Amino acid sequence: MDAHPPYPSGLRLTGRRVLMVGGGHVAQRRVPALLASGAVVTVVSPEVTPAIEALADSGEIAWQQRAFEDSDVDGTWYVIAATDDHDANQAVSMASESRRVFCVRADDATAASAWTPAVGRSSGVTVAVLSNEESNRDPQRSAAIRDEILEGLREGAIAAPHHRDRTPGVVLVGGGPGDPELVSVAGRKALMQADVVVADRLAPRELLGELPSTTELVDVAKIPRGRFTAQEAINELIVARALEGKRVVRFKGGDSFVFGRGYEEVLACRAAGVPVTVVPGLTSPVAVPALAGIPITHRGITHEFTVVSGHVPPDHHDSLVDYEAVARLTGTLVLMMAVENAAAIAEALVRGGRDTATPVAVVCDGSMPAERTVLATLGTLGEQIAAERVRAPAIIVVGEVVRVAHPEYFAPHG
Ligand code: SAH
């Protein structure tokens, strides 16, 4: 028994010979990582798995199709004894020991001069986890700890604040529909690395509670406007902070470019010479119906979906939507920012030819604790919204996919 912990080291194997004795599943699992490290791998084994044979055929490894001989260790830097035969592995480690070459044992760690850690890579680092003693060597525990560390790195919980990416600039992060679980891995990481976070009302606010205490948090609803509109004030703010050398995250609900005015911010950054990147978000017209169990497309039912902003009514001079054309479409129609104008939009669609019995679902507060779905038809939409006291934010889904999800509520089609 050896009570000393192992001494960790990163082997730089580029161009160096590594010997793998055995060609089974252990070898198959380890060879790719050795190749990724640049090692020159020789496999010695009478038989190998098809995957190893393929690597030999393509010339990525050398394969000696025979039993191990002590002299195989000559000229190698590192040896892995991975046969399923204890005595054969023992012979490999003895030959390695006498030549002072480190040797890993797949069968018996206590008899090995080196151990393979649980390994993973993320954010430019290699994470390797080893148990301290052979007596409590527990590969599953090491792998679980490695997974926790990798997850922390990916999600930004482990950000090593003094060494994080500090390049000044603006990152537009789409936060998804509201549930903090539905932000992307890249979005979460950008948030945790930011110096300044400028957050919208609809951005997943729970994530803001996880920001390091040093992060400056700006709530857009509270930005003083003065002689600027809200959007101009936001553009000014993100540009000014980035020019001060800060890493700024502009944090929005859904996706920044779906009725999010994100591109105005991109243009403002470009005009000021500020580097700007975008992390897409799960957009609510797609995500919210899905959360409510409504498929935005369904085989045999619809070959299209159309997303329309209903923030101005159909006959308004600012409206850019051709409702007559929309009414002629037969697929799924998703209305956003449309609670106020829902009745007028439903009327315009019926006037344009859509059936008053067309199924409609209004999904309010998607992904939030208060999420609920109000069902209606184009004919009853206005009165249902009033009767159920529907408030924004809501996604209104119009079309046969609503019947697919709620056959009990609607009469069969046709
Ligand atoms: N950029 C956002 C949309 C901003 S416009 C995105 O990509 O999702 C705001 C509108 O989005 C709201 O009026 C509502 O129609 C919709 N919306 C956003 N989040 C929502 C949610 N969690 N539940 C229901 N509707 C939502």
Side-chain angles (χ1 to χ4, degrees):
M1 271 293 148
D2 177 1
H4 298 104
Y7 180 81
S9 181
L11 300 184
R12 303 185 66 215
L13 295 176
T14 308
R16 303 203 154 108
R17 282 192 56 206
V18 171
L19 174 65
M20 173 73 70
V21 183
H25 292 287
V26 175
Q28 184 173 319
R29 275 212 315 277
R30 303 248 172 115
V31 165
L34 290 167
L35 292 176
S37 298
V40 178
V41 178
T42 301
V43 172
V44 174
S45 178
E47 288 162 59
V48 297
T49 66
I52 294 204
E53 190 169 356
L55 288 172
D57 286 346
S58 65
E60 288 170 82
I61 62 169
W63 173 26
Q64 305 287 339
Q65 191 171 6
R66 54 167 171 76
F68 169 75
E69 295 161 9
D70 285 7
S71 60
D72 288 333
V73 177
D74 292 337
T76 66
W77 290 76
Y78 195 64
V79 176
I80 298 168
T83 78
D84 50 13
D85 175 349
H86 179 83
D87 292 342
N89 288 343
Q90 184 65 21
V92 176
S93 47
M94 282 169 63
S96 303
E97 187 79 20
S98 67
R99 288 165 176 79
R100 303 189 184 197
V101 179
F102 281 106
C103 178
V104 172
R105 286 278 292 267
D107 58 334
D108 183 3
T110 61
S113 57
W115 292 344
T116 305
V119 177
R121 293 185 224 276
S122 179
S123 311
V125 296
T126 295
V127 174
V129 180
L130 287 166
S131 316
N132 277 350
E133 296 166 41
E134 53 201 30
S135 56
N136 68 4
R137 231 182 81 89
D138 180 351
Q140 252 112 36
R141 178 160 181 261
S142 298
I145 293 170
R146 170 207 55 198
D147 290 344
E148 292 265 315
I149 296 171
L150 289 177
E151 191 179 326
L153 286 169
R154 286 192 196 112
E155 294 195 338
I158 304 174
H162 300 294
H163 301 283
R164 64 189 187 188
D165 184 354
R166 307 201 69 117
T167 335
V170 173
V171 189
L172 298 189
V173 175
D179 180 339
E181 296 272 300
L182 294 176
V183 73
S184 71
V185 171
R188 183 184 267 270
K189 191 162 139 191
L191 272 178
M192 299 306 153
Q193 295 192 340
D195 299 307
V196 185
V197 173
V198 181
D200 265 7
R201 194 173 48 83
L202 278 178
R205 318 231 17 140
E206 272 174 76
L207 282 174
L208 303 178
E210 294 176 27
L211 294 174
S213 56
T214 48
T215 311
E216 181 192 356
L217 177 59
V218 182
D219 187 339
V220 156
K222 296 185 186 136
I223 292 184
R225 313 227 170 135
R227 61 203 172 87
F228 295 119
T229 66
Q231 189 60 54
E232 285 167 338
I234 294 165
N235 295 353
E236 288 269 310
L237 176 80
I238 60 178
V239 165
R241 287 291 194 279
L243 291 175
E244 285 166 20
K246 302 269 170 64
R247 218 173 145 70
V248 181
V249 162
R250 175 72 177 104
F251 191 43
K252 293 166 186 280
D255 183 272
S256 304
F257 291 164
V258 178
F259 304 126
R261 304 193 69 168
Y263 208 72
E264 292 168 54
E265 293 163 16
V266 169
L267 293 174
C269 290
R270 292 220 184 115
V274 166
V276 54
T277 55
V278 178
V279 177
L282 272 185
T283 189
S284 62
V286 174
V288 168
L291 290 162
I294 301 168
I296 195 162
T297 71
H298 189 63
R299 187 178 150 82
I301 298 285
T302 170
H303 286 178
E304 93 234 0
F305 63 87
T306 307
V307 180
V308 167
S309 168
H311 71 290
V312 288
D315 44 20
H316 195 278
H317 53 81
D318 282 345
S319 177
L320 300 175
V321 181
D322 180 346
Y323 278 96
E324 284 179 27
V326 172
R328 279 198 299 277
L329 296 171
T330 55
T332 309
L333 174 63
V334 182
L335 304 172
M336 303 174 65
M337 296 185 278
V339 172
E340 294 288 309
N341 299 315
I345 292 169
E347 266 171 43
L349 294 173
V350 170
R351 225 182 300 130
R354 274 200 107 152
D355 192 340
T356 49
T358 306
V360 180
V362 183
V363 186
C364 315
D365 298 309
S367 85
M368 258 79 87
E371 179 183 317
R372 64 177 173 139
T373 301
V374 172
L375 297 173
T377 63
L378 275 184
T380 64
L381 182 59
E383 58 200 67
Q384 279 294 87
I385 282 181
E388 296 286 339
R389 296 175 198 283
V390 170
R391 300 269 175 279
I395 285 290
I396 303 178
V397 188
V398 179
E400 289 303 317
V401 291
V402 178
R403 192 192 313 273
V404 172
H406 294 280
E408 76 297 340
Y409 183 88
F410 299 101
H413 182 50

